[in-house]
Amino acid sequence: MSAIEPPTERTCERCGRVEEWDEDQQTFVAASDDSLGQPHCLHEWDINGQYNPLQESES
Ligand SMILES: [Zn+2]
């Protein structure tokens, strides 16, 4: 309930793709070969609500 930490794992709610944060590449990468999901999926990550500022709409 104190500091807000950036998520280190995210899951696509559409295709089930699972990604983990890679500190070396500074980006999310697929957690494993069988969690790639669909290549053309728009990927709706389960962390969007609290981590994607582009989703804000105050008007
Ligand atoms: Zn997806």
Side-chain angles (χ1 to χ4, degrees), residues 1 6 10 12 17 28 35 39 41 43 46 48-49 52 56 59:
M1 284 297 189
R10 63 183 185 180
C12 176
R17 178 185 173 98
F28 279 98
S35 66
C41 176
H43 298 318
D46 61 348
N48 270 3
N52 190 349
E56 285 187 22
S59 57

Side-chain angles (χ1 to χ4, degrees), residues 11-32:
T11 304
C12 176
E13 296 181 342
R14 294 189 179 190
C15 70
R17 178 185 173 98
V18 180
E19 293 187 345
E20 291 178 337
W21 183 257
D22 187 308
E23 289 192 11
D24 291 335
Q25 301 183 54
Q26 288 292 293
T27 188
F28 279 98
V29 296
S32 62

Side-chain angles (χ1 to χ4, degrees), residues 55-59:
Q55 293 296 319
E56 285 187 22
S57 59
E58 296 184 9
S59 57

